[in-house]
Amino acid sequence: MPYRFLPENFEHDYRSVWVDVPQSLYDGRKVHGLYNEYLDELEHAERSGFDGLCVNEHHQNAYGLMPSPNLMAAALSRRTSKAALVVLGNSLALYNPPVRVAEEFAMLDTISGGRLVAGFPVGTSMDTNFGYGVNPATLRDRYYEAHDLVMQAWTRPETFAFNGKYTQLRYVNLWPRPLQQPHPPVWIPGGGSVETWEWTARLNYVYCYLSYYGYKRGKATMDGFWQALERLGVDDNPYRAGFLQLVCVSETDEAAEREYFEHVHYFYQRCLHVWEGFAEAPGYRTLKTLQAGVRPQVGDQARKVRQSLDWKKYVNEGYIIAGSPATVREQLADCVQKLRVGHLMVLLQIGSMPKELTFRNTELFGTEVLPYMRDTWKGYEDHWWPSGCVNGGAA
């Protein structure tokens, strides 16, 4: 849900799209229209055959206007009836007390008839350390403790006391409780942290790599994930993994460039324009992940790479998958197979893309691409899909 009215010179004249983006650029009337457009687009995706609708959480930015994904999921719960509501996430360490997440997710799961996927991201450094002021040295400890509280609130049958380092509650007694028992499926969005791979495997959660840079660069991260599972003796069911890919579908490859280039370019050059000082607070990234050579997806180094991008590079280097339905089908099949991904998440509203074009991109994908993807992993069972949804396997 980007703010798609940033000035043409934004990345040159302004420091950052996150944290301190000037209020002078904000127009509330336009945002009123954007929220309703974006909800229309998500509802349209269900009509177009999509199995799930994803929303997420970011703060103090023009990249994504969703500080509360639960509000968006609540609206969707009443205007949709089949699709999973994939909330990626709530950023657990930002809630005081974190039991609030357990309560709101339980409400969403019950209202929707058991269609919730519960996402628990750590959150970007821009959101957590700078937007919400959480000390980066304590962020992950807070996150793990909050996770334990939420899971206990969902699964313990009686009132209990919780005495954590950061949260102490004399009475935890969740009303309402989730409709899905023992709890909704849990997906963990990540950017490549080594510890996250191991943690999701041990807890039997789905790991979702939300990459800005496409499946070709994403392969190294997903290879690392599957290698971590192998070391832990965990099976290689593709539905343990999710991956986000930007996709643009048109009648021909040439038409895709004409229709989508300016909007893709807006996304990469303006929506990801993050000042180096906000990209990663000291202490945000763990030592183990630093030693593995995982680099942030925003900041100065990423900006230097993005500045040289044109349509040919966006496509050839895998940032986006774009073209005719046949081209998109071929490249997506390659993406899914090489990354071994059972939950494919496609971003079809990109940057400054208007509602009409988003609708058409969604329809073309739903009718000309999605049906060909469904049987990719038909030999495996998806244990991480909401019980209130009939379909599964592609989100």
Side-chain angles (χ1 to χ4, degrees), residues 273-294:
H273 173 61
V274 176
W275 179 54
E276 177 72 10
F278 294 145
E280 196 170 276
Y284 171 79
R285 194 171 292 269
T286 64
L287 178 61
K288 205 170 184 180
T289 301
L290 287 170
Q291 290 172 336
V294 179

Side-chain angles (χ1 to χ4, degrees), residues 103 165 195 200 206 213 225 272 292 300 306 309 348 385:
E103 293 174 323
K165 181 178 180 180
E195 293 87 348
T200 55
V206 172
Y213 297 112
F225 168 72
L272 298 183
D300 285 350
R306 293 198 314 272
L309 294 174
L348 298 171
W385 195 252

Side-chain angles (χ1 to χ4, degrees), residues 223-391:
D223 284 349
F225 168 72
W226 290 117
Q227 290 163 10
L229 265 61
E230 184 178 10
R231 288 195 300 272
L232 293 169
V234 177
D235 68 73
D236 62 351
N237 187 328
Y239 291 108
R240 291 187 178 278
F243 184 78
L244 174 68
Q245 177 64 50
L246 279 68
V247 177
C248 302
V249 192
S250 191
E251 282 73 18
T252 66
D253 294 357
E254 294 74 23
E257 179 177 1
R258 290 195 304 271
E259 293 168 351
Y260 294 109
F261 173 69
E262 65 176 295
H263 309 300
V264 170
H265 206 58
Y266 181 101
F267 176 79
Y268 279 103
Q269 303 306 323
R270 297 181 213 178
C271 292
L272 298 183
H273 173 61
V274 176
W275 179 54
E276 177 72 10
F278 294 145
E280 196 170 276
Y284 171 79
R285 194 171 292 269
T286 64
L287 178 61
K288 205 170 184 180
T289 301
L290 287 170
Q291 290 172 336
V294 179
R295 300 178 182 277
Q297 297 191 72
V298 293
D300 285 350
Q301 187 171 12
R303 182 185 301 115
K304 291 175 183 176
V305 173
R306 293 198 314 272
Q307 286 174 342
S308 66
L309 294 174
D310 55 19
W311 180 258
K312 186 176 180 180
K313 288 183 178 179
Y314 283 130
V315 173
N316 291 346
E317 297 180 17
Y319 287 81
I320 62 171
I321 289 177
S324 69
T327 297
V328 171
R329 289 195 298 265
E330 180 182 356
Q331 292 183 7
L332 264 185
D334 185 54
C335 161
V336 169
Q337 293 283 352
K338 285 184 176 177
L339 273 58
R340 197 172 179 78
V341 170
H343 294 113
L344 174 65
M345 294 168 282
V346 289
L347 190 61
L348 298 171
Q349 193 291 329
I350 302 167
S352 56
M353 196 181 294
K355 178 180 176 180
E356 296 76 15
L357 185 56
T358 304
F359 265 45
R360 192 155 66 86
N361 196 20
T362 302
E363 288 173 2
L364 283 170
F365 190 96
T367 58
E368 302 295 331
V369 179
L370 181 54
Y372 297 85
M373 307 297 298
R374 288 198 182 280
D375 292 335
T376 302
W377 304 113
K378 61 183 178 181
Y380 294 87
E381 187 174 353
D382 186 356
H383 303 290
W384 301 271
W385 195 252
S387 60
C389 300
V390 176
N391 294 327

Side-chain angles (χ1 to χ4, degrees), residues 139-189:
L139 177 65
R140 279 176 169 75
D141 280 346
R142 289 178 182 274
Y143 171 86
Y144 291 129
E145 181 180 290
H147 161 270
D148 292 347
L149 172 55
V150 170
M151 299 308 291
Q152 289 182 41
W154 281 345
T155 57
R156 292 182 66 167
E158 304 293 342
T159 305
F160 65 94
F162 186 86
N163 292 300
K165 181 178 180 180
Y166 304 101
T167 300
Q168 299 84 39
L169 296 172
R170 175 63 185 86
Y171 300 102
V172 180
N173 183 26
L174 204 67
W175 281 71
R177 301 180 75 81
L179 188 62
Q180 298 182 81
Q181 289 295 313
H183 57 76
V186 176
W187 294 13
I188 306 298

Side-chain angles (χ1 to χ4, degrees), residues 104-222:
E104 292 191 5
F105 270 174
M107 289 178 67
L108 288 170
D109 195 47
T110 305
I111 293 169
S112 67
R115 292 188 285 132
L116 177 72
V117 169
F120 297 147
V122 172
T124 71
S125 190
M126 298 86 77
D127 296 316
T128 58
N129 306 137
F130 295 101
Y132 266 48
V134 177
N135 184 332
T138 66
L139 177 65
R140 279 176 169 75
D141 280 346
R142 289 178 182 274
Y143 171 86
Y144 291 129
E145 181 180 290
H147 161 270
D148 292 347
L149 172 55
V150 170
M151 299 308 291
Q152 289 182 41
W154 281 345
T155 57
R156 292 182 66 167
E158 304 293 342
T159 305
F160 65 94
F162 186 86
N163 292 300
K165 181 178 180 180
Y166 304 101
T167 300
Q168 299 84 39
L169 296 172
R170 175 63 185 86
Y171 300 102
V172 180
N173 183 26
L174 204 67
W175 281 71
R177 301 180 75 81
L179 188 62
Q180 298 182 81
Q181 289 295 313
H183 57 76
V186 176
W187 294 13
I188 306 298
S193 295
V194 175
E195 293 87 348
T196 304
W197 300 338
E198 299 169 352
W199 188 67
T200 55
R202 290 192 178 99
L203 293 175
N204 199 32
Y205 295 160
V206 172
Y207 173 72
C208 302
Y209 183 35
L210 305 184
S211 171
Y212 297 132
Y213 297 112
Y215 73 102
K216 292 184 179 180
R217 283 178 171 79
K219 188 177 185 305
T221 296
M222 294 310 299

